[in-house]
Amino acid sequence: MSRGPLFFHDLPERRSIMKKCAAVLFVSFIASLFLADTACLAQTSKVLKIGAPIPLGGVGGAYVGIGWGYNDCEKYINEKGGVKGNKIAFLVEDNRWDVTTEIAIINRLLTMEQKDELLLFCGNLITGTLKAMSEKINKEVQIPSISLSYSVEMFGRAGGPGKYPYYFSTGPDYAQQVGLLLRYIKKDHKKSAGPKLAVAYSPTEYGRDPLADMKEDCKKLGIEIVSEEEMAPTASDVSSQVLNMRKAKPDYIIWHGFLPGMLVAPVFVKTARQYMPGVPILGTHYTTIPAMIAAAGEASEGLIGVNANVMWYESENPFVKLVKEQMEKAGRKVPEAEQSNYIQGWALGLLGAHALEAASAAGALTREGVRKALEGSTWDFNGMYEGKKFSYASHKVPMARIFKASLAEKQFKPISPWLNVDEELK
Amino acid sequence: MVYGLLGLGLVLIFRASEAFNFAVGEFLVVGAFLFYVLHFQWRIPLLVASPAGLGAAALFGALVEGTTIKPLMGRPALSMTIITLGLSNILAGGLQAVAGSTPYQFSLRLPPLVLDLGDIIFPSPRLWAGIISVIFFGLVILFLYKTRWGLVIQATSESQPKALCFGINAHLVLLLVWAIAAMCIAASGIVIANLGALSCQTSVVGLRAIPVVLIGGLDSIPGALVGGLIVGVVEALTGAYLEPRGLIGFKEVVPYLVLLLVLFVRPYGLFGTVRIERV
């Protein structure tokens, strides 16, 4: 049987099909509208990324605690709702305490990540990297970078916001730290003749950084530098350097440019104690942490130093309280050797998050917006400095304390209140 | 003397298998860590922990030989040398994964000995480092030259095929040599760690053994001793007299300069066997 023309044959059936198609199309249209709307909503919420190179190996040792600090800080901020609904993420990478590796990490992140997502670097950024990348970071890509370095060249008199507008630090520069130590020496020295000082440093950008300012400061204060010795970070024997110091009969030793994880650090402290018992050894931020006591043992008793952070065991400090609360919440167990690093990770992490929040509040969640937000910040670091607030206009926090090591308690105990270096070094 | 002991560990292996152990630094750290665990963590007294730690280091050396060197017996010595390069990387990574990168406090409770000569002073850990190294070096020499097993090792080192013909189990001898070498390296690791602290980075000290054995001669036991003394003295003199005159860091370089000079005059080292190869 012939079925005849399609249009006229079984017309009611075709109408029904058409109706069904129309219904499907309508539903699809509504669904696509809904999906498009959801996609738009999803696009408005993005992940704000913070490049975070830290040392997890290499000659300076591993500072895993900093990474844990970032992780838990990230969790804390994101659980609070992130930065105006945007989640934050620390892109933790191992720089092996090596300038070349760190530069490669920074370049890779700058290439791979979107400009409106990677808004900040917040990490180790060792002195050598800051120097090598100064043109690129401050002129070419213009991304704010909060560093764990306290380089004089970058943050001191010769540098600062005028020259390096995108570099930020979290404490007094190394020359200011040494300046505090020199004033301590001046006050502590009881002999009629001026104090004689031996200086030991590592042959790195970090180690040599404050030397010129230190010499100038010594002249001003009437302190004579009688010996100057370089010690490689990987040296297993520094007896000849220490013997040279001993010959010069110093009253004090300042050592700078080392980390407790460096092989030479405990070797130097032990050797100096054996060859020159009774001569005080004074150090800067990175050797004034409990890990130094753990590494050098008995020889660390009485080590003196400057540190710009709060210590783990200062449980009454609001910043430490916050960190410990969040650590427990995260179920994190931080071994003794990593506690100072964990605190440092949190300090940097919270500062980074604070900068993003301030930029977001100002309606400028861009690299430039974050820089302006940091520069315009007056913040108390969650109460770290006994409630005192500081303007970040100078790109560094001017606070530090002097500590002395107590072997019995395995702690560096503060022997000074929080000192504002801008006032102390006037 | 410590460098001499370290060099002895390399020389023994080279004599027995003509392979250069590039994993010397990692052997040093593993040996010292084994002792650290026994003495400082498990609180075993020094007199018991020392032989036990060295024994554990010997077992480690034997294990390494059994798993990586033994399968290469009869192959060119270069294969074994290359294996030690790989081994060095594996051990370095493994050590860091297990022990981390932070230094471990390492202070042996030994009777205080100080030699004060005015401008020059030898504090207790340094004197003990020398004494322990001399004693250990002496014991190894006694074992090699005054015992039956020492004679067997010497015979195998002279010629593996001939030793096999005489019924000597060359596999076992090589295992023993690696065990003794690991003990020598571990002993030097312990005294080196006692000067500062113990960390994975202590392995860089192993590199010092290279100029020591090349200066003395790769296959010479007295050469290891003399090479160690030369490197130690040259380093100390450079540190005391040249570095203060502006040559900062020269101490690290000077052993290699001496090595270069020695190799110009005696390409096989001061006491190394001169080999004439026909091409």
Side-chain angles (χ1 to χ4, degrees):
Chain A
M1 187 180 104
S2 161
R3 289 184 63 86
L6 182 68
F7 277 54
F8 301 103
H9 187 72
D10 59 8
L11 197 59
E13 196 183 327
R14 287 207 63 79
R15 274 187 188 151
S16 156
I17 290 169
M18 290 291 281
K19 271 183 191 168
K20 278 179 188 167
C21 284
V24 168
L25 277 172
F26 180 73
V27 170
S28 306
F29 176 69
I30 296 294
S32 65
L33 277 179
F34 177 75
L35 285 173
D37 187 46
T38 314
C40 285
L41 279 173
Q43 269 184 357
T44 56
S45 162
K46 59 185 176 185
V47 177
L48 306 176
K49 294 171 185 172
I50 302 170
I54 56 167
L56 297 172
V59 294
Y63 294 80
V64 188
I66 300 176
W68 293 340
Y70 284 149
N71 290 344
D72 293 348
C73 176
E74 177 187 302
K75 206 172 166 191
Y76 166 66
I77 298 288
N78 287 339
E79 275 175 4
K80 278 203 316 179
V83 176
K84 279 218 170 162
N86 298 303
K87 298 241 179 233
I88 66 162
F90 286 91
L91 308 178
V92 177
E93 300 257 0
D94 178 14
N95 69 1
R96 299 197 60 74
W97 211 77
D98 174 57
V99 174
T100 319
T101 311
E102 193 167 60
I103 289 174
I105 290 168
I106 292 171
N107 282 331
R108 183 163 48 78
L109 290 177
L110 285 172
T111 312
M112 284 175 64
E113 301 297 339
Q114 297 294 321
K115 199 178 171 184
D116 61 339
E117 286 184 358
L118 179 66
L119 298 175
L120 179 67
F121 276 109
C122 195
N124 191 193
L125 302 175
I126 45 188
T127 305
T129 306
L130 290 182
K131 291 183 182 180
M133 296 291 279
S134 63
E135 283 288 306
K136 182 158 188 167
I137 288 181
N138 290 284
K139 290 183 180 163
E140 212 181 300
V141 288
Q142 299 187 325
I143 181 166
S145 305
I146 306 172
S147 167
L148 283 175
S149 163
Y150 306 111
S151 161
V152 180
E153 198 179 318
M154 298 294 129
F155 305 107
R157 282 177 296 170
K163 203 168 173 186
Y164 305 108
Y166 290 85
Y167 279 170
F168 294 85
S169 178
T170 54
D173 65 62
Y174 294 127
Q176 289 175 321
Q177 293 180 26
V178 170
L180 285 180
L181 295 176
L182 293 176
R183 275 145 192 86
Y184 171 85
I185 288 172
K186 190 78 183 157
K187 213 170 157 185
D188 182 67
H189 189 65
K190 303 289 181 233
K191 292 179 196 165
S192 54
K196 286 195 271 181
L197 177 69
V199 182
Y201 57 93
S202 63
T204 57
E205 291 288 352
Y206 161 40
R208 290 173 177 144
D209 192 67
L211 288 181
D213 287 59
M214 179 200 286
K215 285 174 187 171
E216 215 176 285
D217 218 3
C218 279
K219 266 185 202 162
K220 258 194 268 171
L221 294 169
I223 297 172
E224 186 191 356
I225 297 180
V226 291
S227 172
E228 213 178 295
E229 297 292 330
E230 273 196 355
M231 300 184 300
T234 52
S236 58
D237 174 27
V238 291
S239 54
S240 56
Q241 287 96 327
V242 175
L243 267 174
N244 292 337
M245 286 185 183
R246 186 174 179 264
K247 277 183 216 160
K249 297 190 170 75
D251 299 310
Y252 298 88
I253 301 167
I254 285 184
W255 68 315
H256 167 74
F258 304 96
L259 299 164
M262 284 178 181
L263 183 58
V264 72
V267 173
F268 168 70
V269 174
K270 280 174 99 170
T271 313
R273 289 292 193 224
Q274 287 156 11
Y275 284 75
M276 293 180 285
V279 178
I281 304 172
L282 301 94
T284 48
H285 179 87
Y286 286 109
T287 45
T288 310
I289 54 174
M292 195 60 243
I293 301 174
E298 284 172 16
S300 66
E301 177 72 58
L303 281 180
I304 296 165
V306 170
N307 190 294
N309 271 343
V310 70
M311 294 289 177
W312 175 265
Y313 35 82
E314 295 181 83
S315 299
E316 291 308 307
N317 187 292
F319 180 88
V320 179
K321 265 187 189 169
L322 169 77
V323 170
K324 287 188 177 174
E325 270 170 26
Q326 294 307 315
M327 180 193 74
E328 275 174 28
K329 217 171 153 190
R332 172 88 62 195
K333 280 182 183 157
V334 182
E336 214 175 321
E338 292 297 336
Q339 289 167 351
S340 301
N341 301 330
Y342 187 68
I343 287 269
Q344 189 126 35
W346 264 93
L348 265 176
L350 283 178
L351 180 59
H354 168 76
L356 294 176
E357 275 164 7
S360 177
L365 209 46
T366 60
R367 289 176 182 177
E368 186 56 27
V370 173
R371 186 190 72 80
K372 282 184 182 159
L374 274 170
E375 216 168 60
S377 279
T378 301
W379 196 44
D380 68 345
F381 265 80
N382 279 82
M384 187 194 283
Y385 304 106
E386 292 165 355
K388 290 173 191 163
K389 287 186 174 184
F390 304 97
S391 159
Y392 210 29
S394 64
H395 289 206
K396 56 186 178 186
V397 178
M399 303 302 284
R401 283 179 296 176
I402 300 175
F403 291 81
K404 193 168 192 176
S406 158
L407 182 66
E409 292 170 87
K410 291 185 182 171
Q411 291 178 359
F412 270 96
K413 308 295 273 184
I415 55 170
S416 83
W418 282 104
L419 302 168
N420 187 322
V421 288
D422 293 335
E423 289 165 16
E424 293 290 321
L425 305 179
K426 257 180 195 168
Chain B
M1 281 311 301
V2 182
Y3 289 158
L5 188 58
L6 196 58
L8 181 64
L10 287 184
V11 166
L12 288 175
I13 289 173
F14 186 82
R15 278 164 60 98
S17 58
E18 294 207 333
F20 190 92
N21 180 14
F22 277 106
V24 57
E26 284 69 34
F27 268 59
L28 185 144
V29 178
V30 169
F33 261 121
L34 289 169
F35 172 80
Y36 178 89
V37 170
L38 293 171
H39 183 54
F40 292 104
Q41 286 195 334
W42 296 355
R43 310 261 175 209
I44 297 174
L46 184 64
L47 285 175
V48 181
S50 303
L54 293 174
L59 277 177
F60 170 74
L63 183 75
V64 167
E65 196 280 335
T67 51
T68 61
I69 302 298
K70 193 179 168 187
L72 295 174
M73 281 277 278
R75 301 269 177 88
L78 185 63
S79 312
M80 294 186 200
T81 304
I82 290 169
I83 278 282
T84 65
L85 274 173
L87 190 66
S88 160
N89 283 322
I90 292 168
L91 288 176
L95 274 168
Q96 193 163 324
V98 175
S101 286
T102 42
Y104 291 74
Q105 191 187 322
F106 201 107
S107 295
L108 296 176
R109 300 241 171 253
L110 295 164
L113 295 171
V114 180
L115 185 59
D116 195 342
L117 305 170
D119 270 358
I120 298 170
I121 184 171
F122 293 96
S124 193
R126 268 159 213 288
L127 282 177
W128 276 111
I131 292 167
I132 292 169
S133 301
V134 168
I135 292 172
F136 206 84
F137 204 104
L139 286 173
V140 175
I141 297 290
L142 273 178
F143 175 79
L144 288 176
Y145 291 98
K146 297 286 177 193
T147 65
R148 189 179 162 78
W149 272 102
L151 196 67
V152 167
I153 288 173
Q154 284 193 68
T156 313
S157 301
E158 193 77 24
S159 165
Q160 267 184 31
K162 280 182 199 164
L164 284 165
C165 290
F166 278 100
I168 294 171
N169 184 347
H171 290 299
L172 185 65
V173 171
L174 201 57
L175 194 85
L176 189 64
V177 166
W178 273 79
I180 295 169
M183 278 172 77
C184 292
I185 299 168
S188 56
I190 292 167
V191 292
I192 286 167
N194 191 40
L195 300 178
L198 177 62
S199 86
C200 290
Q201 292 173 50
T202 312
S203 61
V204 296
V205 184
L207 295 176
R208 296 288 167 86
I210 295 173
V212 168
V213 292
L214 291 179
I215 288 171
L218 257 174
D219 57 354
S220 166
I221 290 173
L225 184 65
V226 175
L229 285 172
I230 290 175
V231 168
V233 170
V234 162
E235 271 189 5
L237 291 176
T238 310
Y241 296 106
L242 293 180
E243 286 200 343
R245 292 172 200 278
L247 289 169
I248 293 165
F250 197 57
K251 197 171 104 169
E252 310 289 319
V253 183
V254 78
Y256 295 93
L257 288 179
V258 174
L259 169 64
L260 209 62
L261 285 175
V262 169
L263 293 185
F264 276 141
V265 184
R266 289 186 64 87
Y268 293 96
L270 292 175
F271 299 94
T273 310
V274 179
R275 295 175 195 202
I276 300 164
E277 288 177 22
R278 297 183 193 283
V279 286

